[in-house]
Short mmCIF file of all heavy atoms in Angstrom, two decimals:
data_model
loop_
_atom_site.label_atom_id
_atom_site.label_comp_id
_atom_site.label_asym_id
_atom_site.label_seq_id
_atom_site.Cartn_x
_atom_site.Cartn_y
_atom_site.Cartn_z
N ARG Q 46 137.81 -83.93 45.80
CA ARG Q 46 137.47 -82.64 45.17
C ARG Q 46 137.28 -81.56 46.23
O ARG Q 46 137.60 -80.40 46.01
CB ARG Q 46 136.20 -82.78 44.34
CG ARG Q 46 136.39 -83.71 43.13
CD ARG Q 46 135.17 -83.70 42.23
NE ARG Q 46 135.05 -82.43 41.55
CZ ARG Q 46 133.90 -81.77 41.38
NH1 ARG Q 46 132.79 -82.27 41.85
NH2 ARG Q 46 133.88 -80.64 40.74
N TYR Q 72 146.38 -81.21 41.87
CA TYR Q 72 145.21 -82.08 41.79
C TYR Q 72 145.11 -82.66 40.40
O TYR Q 72 145.22 -81.95 39.40
CB TYR Q 72 143.95 -81.27 42.13
CG TYR Q 72 142.64 -81.97 41.81
CD1 TYR Q 72 142.34 -83.21 42.36
CD2 TYR Q 72 141.70 -81.37 40.98
CE1 TYR Q 72 141.13 -83.83 42.08
CE2 TYR Q 72 140.50 -81.97 40.69
CZ TYR Q 72 140.21 -83.21 41.25
OH TYR Q 72 139.02 -83.82 40.97
N GLU Q 87 153.10 -78.20 26.44
CA GLU Q 87 152.12 -77.13 26.67
C GLU Q 87 151.18 -77.48 27.82
O GLU Q 87 150.81 -76.62 28.62
CB GLU Q 87 151.31 -76.86 25.39
CG GLU Q 87 152.10 -76.11 24.33
CD GLU Q 87 151.40 -76.02 22.99
OE1 GLU Q 87 150.60 -76.92 22.65
OE2 GLU Q 87 151.67 -75.08 22.25
N PHE Q 99 152.39 -63.43 29.21
CA PHE Q 99 151.98 -63.65 27.83
C PHE Q 99 153.11 -64.32 27.06
O PHE Q 99 152.87 -65.21 26.25
CB PHE Q 99 151.60 -62.31 27.16
CG PHE Q 99 150.84 -62.51 25.89
CD1 PHE Q 99 149.50 -62.82 25.91
CD2 PHE Q 99 151.48 -62.40 24.65
CE1 PHE Q 99 148.79 -63.03 24.74
CE2 PHE Q 99 150.78 -62.60 23.48
CZ PHE Q 99 149.43 -62.91 23.53
N ASP Q 103 161.64 -68.12 30.81
CA ASP Q 103 162.59 -69.23 30.81
C ASP Q 103 162.45 -70.09 32.06
O ASP Q 103 162.57 -71.31 32.00
CB ASP Q 103 164.03 -68.68 30.73
CG ASP Q 103 164.36 -68.24 29.31
OD1 ASP Q 103 163.75 -68.79 28.37
OD2 ASP Q 103 165.21 -67.34 29.15
N ASP Q 107 162.02 -74.01 32.07
CA ASP Q 107 163.01 -74.86 32.72
C ASP Q 107 162.35 -75.80 33.73
O ASP Q 107 162.69 -76.98 33.83
CB ASP Q 107 164.06 -74.00 33.42
CG ASP Q 107 165.02 -73.36 32.42
OD1 ASP Q 107 164.99 -73.80 31.25
OD2 ASP Q 107 165.76 -72.45 32.80
N ALA Q 114 161.69 -84.37 32.60
CA ALA Q 114 162.88 -85.22 32.62
C ALA Q 114 162.80 -86.18 33.81
O ALA Q 114 163.11 -87.36 33.70
CB ALA Q 114 164.14 -84.37 32.69
N GLU Q 123 157.12 -82.69 22.58
CA GLU Q 123 156.54 -81.98 21.43
C GLU Q 123 155.39 -82.73 20.78
O GLU Q 123 154.83 -82.28 19.80
CB GLU Q 123 157.63 -81.68 20.40
CG GLU Q 123 158.60 -80.59 20.83
CD GLU Q 123 157.92 -79.23 20.96
OE1 GLU Q 123 157.36 -78.76 19.96
OE2 GLU Q 123 157.92 -78.66 22.07
N ARG N 3 170.32 -77.17 32.67
CA ARG N 3 169.39 -77.59 31.62
C ARG N 3 169.94 -78.79 30.84
O ARG N 3 169.24 -79.74 30.58
CB ARG N 3 169.09 -76.44 30.67
CG ARG N 3 168.11 -76.84 29.61
CD ARG N 3 167.85 -75.70 28.65
NE ARG N 3 167.19 -74.59 29.33
CZ ARG N 3 166.89 -73.46 28.71
NH1 ARG N 3 167.21 -73.28 27.46
NH2 ARG N 3 166.27 -72.50 29.35
N ALA N 6 169.58 -81.89 32.84
CA ALA N 6 168.21 -82.29 33.13
C ALA N 6 167.55 -82.93 31.91
O ALA N 6 166.86 -83.92 32.03
CB ALA N 6 167.39 -81.08 33.57
N ARG N 16 160.81 -73.12 22.06
CA ARG N 16 161.08 -71.79 21.47
C ARG N 16 161.05 -71.87 19.95
O ARG N 16 160.56 -70.96 19.28
CB ARG N 16 162.44 -71.28 21.94
CG ARG N 16 162.50 -70.96 23.43
CD ARG N 16 161.86 -69.63 23.74
NE ARG N 16 162.06 -69.26 25.15
CZ ARG N 16 161.10 -68.78 25.93
NH1 ARG N 16 159.87 -68.63 25.46
NH2 ARG N 16 161.37 -68.45 27.17
N ARG N 18 159.32 -73.96 18.15
CA ARG N 18 157.91 -74.07 17.72
C ARG N 18 157.22 -72.71 17.78
O ARG N 18 156.47 -72.34 16.87
CB ARG N 18 157.19 -75.07 18.63
CG ARG N 18 155.75 -75.33 18.24
CD ARG N 18 155.05 -76.22 19.25
NE ARG N 18 155.36 -77.63 19.06
CZ ARG N 18 154.58 -78.47 18.38
NH1 ARG N 18 153.47 -78.04 17.82
NH2 ARG N 18 154.90 -79.73 18.26
N ARG N 22 155.47 -70.72 14.71
CA ARG N 22 154.08 -70.23 14.74
C ARG N 22 154.03 -68.74 14.42
O ARG N 22 153.14 -68.29 13.70
CB ARG N 22 153.48 -70.48 16.12
CG ARG N 22 153.10 -71.94 16.30
CD ARG N 22 152.65 -72.19 17.71
NE ARG N 22 152.12 -73.55 17.84
CZ ARG N 22 151.89 -74.12 19.01
NH1 ARG N 22 152.15 -73.48 20.12
NH2 ARG N 22 151.41 -75.33 19.06
N TRP N 231 145.47 -67.70 28.57
CA TRP N 231 145.93 -68.93 29.24
C TRP N 231 144.76 -69.68 29.85
O TRP N 231 144.72 -70.91 29.83
CB TRP N 231 146.96 -68.61 30.31
CG TRP N 231 148.31 -68.29 29.77
CD1 TRP N 231 148.97 -67.09 29.88
CD2 TRP N 231 149.16 -69.14 29.00
NE1 TRP N 231 150.17 -67.17 29.23
CE2 TRP N 231 150.32 -68.40 28.69
CE3 TRP N 231 149.07 -70.45 28.54
CZ2 TRP N 231 151.37 -68.93 27.94
CZ3 TRP N 231 150.11 -70.98 27.80
CH2 TRP N 231 151.24 -70.22 27.52
N GLU N 241 137.13 -79.60 34.90
CA GLU N 241 137.68 -80.02 36.19
C GLU N 241 139.17 -79.67 36.28
O GLU N 241 139.63 -79.13 37.28
CB GLU N 241 137.45 -81.52 36.34
CG GLU N 241 137.81 -82.07 37.69
CD GLU N 241 136.71 -81.90 38.73
OE1 GLU N 241 135.68 -81.27 38.42
OE2 GLU N 241 136.90 -82.37 39.85
N GLU N 292 146.46 -75.45 19.73
CA GLU N 292 145.36 -74.99 20.57
C GLU N 292 145.78 -73.91 21.55
O GLU N 292 144.95 -73.39 22.28
CB GLU N 292 144.80 -76.21 21.31
CG GLU N 292 143.43 -76.09 21.87
CD GLU N 292 142.35 -76.00 20.82
OE1 GLU N 292 142.03 -77.03 20.19
OE2 GLU N 292 141.83 -74.90 20.63
N ARG N 295 146.96 -68.15 22.55
CA ARG N 295 147.70 -66.94 22.18
C ARG N 295 147.88 -66.88 20.67
O ARG N 295 147.80 -65.82 20.05
CB ARG N 295 149.07 -66.93 22.85
CG ARG N 295 149.05 -66.77 24.35
CD ARG N 295 150.44 -66.89 24.90
NE ARG N 295 151.03 -68.19 24.55
CZ ARG N 295 152.32 -68.46 24.61
NH1 ARG N 295 153.18 -67.53 24.95
NH2 ARG N 295 152.76 -69.66 24.31
#
Side-chain angles (χ1 to χ4, degrees):
Chain Q
R46 294 187 70 222
Y72 168 57
E87 285 171 332
F99 195 79
D103 283 334
D107 286 347
E123 287 295 300
Chain N
R3 182 181 294 178
R16 293 281 186 225
R18 183 185 280 264
R22 284 174 173 167
W231 284 117
E241 187 83 356
E292 199 68 75
R295 292 175 302 163

